[in-house]
Amino acid sequence: MITTLNNLDAAILLWLNSFHSTFFDHFMSLVTGKWIWVPMYACILVVLTLRVSFKPKLLIILATIGLGLFFSDFFVSEYIRPLFNRPRPSQPGSGISHLVHLVDNYRGGSYGFPSCHASNSFMLATIIYLIFRNKALGCFLYAWAIIMCYSRAYLGVHYPGDLLVGAIWGSGVSYMLYSLANRFFNLSDLKDAKQTAYINMAVTASFALILIISAVQVCES
C-alpha cells in the first residue's frame, strides 16, 4: 500500500514538474521566495492594527499567529520530518532525482515530508480567513497558498503528498489555535472588516511584480 502511494506520488510530481519554461522557472523561483511576500505580511499587520487598534486583543491575535507559525514551521521541520526522513524528489536518495527538472540546481534541504511552505501558507490563509470571515479575502489567500504549493512541485523539491499533508497540518493548526483564542477572547467581532480589501490588493500587486520581474529576467537572459 505504501509503495503504491509513493509510486503514485512520484508519478504525479513528475507530471506536474514536466510543465516548465524559462519564464515560469523565474516566476516560480520568485513565488517560492520569502522576501517577495513581505509587503503582504506587512499589509496584514496594518489591517489588523487598523481593525483592532493597539489593544490587548491585537497582542492575542499576533500571539496566536506566532504560535501557528511555530507549529507549522519549526515543529514540522524539527520534530515531524525526522520521524519520516523522506528525501525530497530533488535529492539523489529519492530515486527519481535524475528525472526531476531543477531550476538553478536548487534542491532544497534533505527531507521534505511534510512541506513547511504548504503548512505555513495554509496556516496563514486559514487563520486570517477565520479572523475576518471575508469570502473575497479567503479566495485571494487560498489562491496564494495553492500557487505557493504548486511552485514547490514545479521546482521539484516536494511531492504532492508532502504538500497535501502540509496544507492539512497548517489548516488544522490554525483552526485549533483560533478556536482556543476565540473561546477566551471573542475574536468573532473582527469579521467583515472593510480594510481586508487592502490585503487583496497587496496579494495582487505582489503577483504583478513577480510577473514583471520574471518577464524582465527572460528578456535579459
Side-chain angles (χ1 to χ4, degrees):
M1 181 66 176
I2 298 297
T3 301
T4 300
L5 289 175
N6 282 334
N7 291 339
L8 178 61
D9 215 12
I12 296 174
L13 178 277
L14 291 174
W15 180 72
L16 292 172
N17 181 252
S18 66
F19 300 101
H20 52 80
S21 67
T22 303
F23 173 81
F24 281 107
D25 284 356
H26 292 296
F27 182 84
M28 293 301 174
S29 294
L30 289 168
V31 166
T32 203
K34 298 178 180 179
W35 298 110
I36 195 73
W37 301 110
V38 168
M40 184 187 80
Y41 303 146
C43 189
I44 290 173
L45 177 60
V46 169
V47 170
L48 284 170
T49 304
L50 289 174
R51 184 68 180 85
V52 183
S53 189
F54 292 97
K55 297 178 181 179
K57 186 174 287 189
L58 177 62
L59 296 179
I60 297 300
I61 294 172
L62 295 180
T64 302
I65 295 174
L67 273 175
L69 184 61
F70 171 82
F71 283 110
S72 69
D73 192 276
F74 180 82
F75 190 82
V76 167
S77 63
E78 298 297 322
Y79 294 99
I80 298 181
R81 282 183 179 174
L83 293 176
F84 297 95
N85 286 340
R86 188 189 195 192
R88 296 174 186 263
S90 55
Q91 294 294 343
S94 69
I96 64 168
S97 60
H98 61 291
L99 301 174
V100 175
H101 170 72
L102 299 178
V103 177
D104 295 331
N105 203 37
Y106 171 67
R107 295 180 182 272
S110 299
Y111 304 113
F113 181 85
S115 165
C116 285
H117 273 74
S119 181
N120 290 337
S121 57
F122 271 86
M123 180 280 296
L124 185 62
T126 300
I127 204 162
I128 297 302
Y129 172 72
L130 289 172
I131 290 171
F132 291 116
R133 304 282 179 165
N134 182 285
K135 291 182 179 179
L137 176 63
C139 289
F140 271 87
L141 290 178
Y142 280 113
W144 164 74
I146 290 170
I147 294 173
M148 176 69 75
C149 287
Y150 177 71
S151 75
R152 305 304 285 169
Y154 180 95
L155 295 173
V157 294
H158 278 298
Y159 292 100
D162 301 345
L163 300 168
L164 178 61
V165 173
I168 292 172
W169 175 266
S171 299
V173 163
S174 282
Y175 183 80
M176 287 187 289
L177 290 175
Y178 174 83
S179 298
L180 185 64
N182 188 47
R183 180 176 181 180
F184 292 100
F185 301 102
N186 186 26
L187 305 181
S188 58
D189 60 339
L190 302 178
K191 63 182 180 180
D192 294 327
K194 295 180 180 179
Q195 297 95 334
T196 56
Y198 295 124
I199 300 176
N200 299 344
M201 292 169 62
V203 174
T204 303
S206 295
F207 274 117
L209 179 61
I210 291 173
L211 284 169
I212 293 170
I213 294 174
S214 300
V216 171
Q217 289 176 328
V218 169
C219 293
E220 290 179 345
S221 61

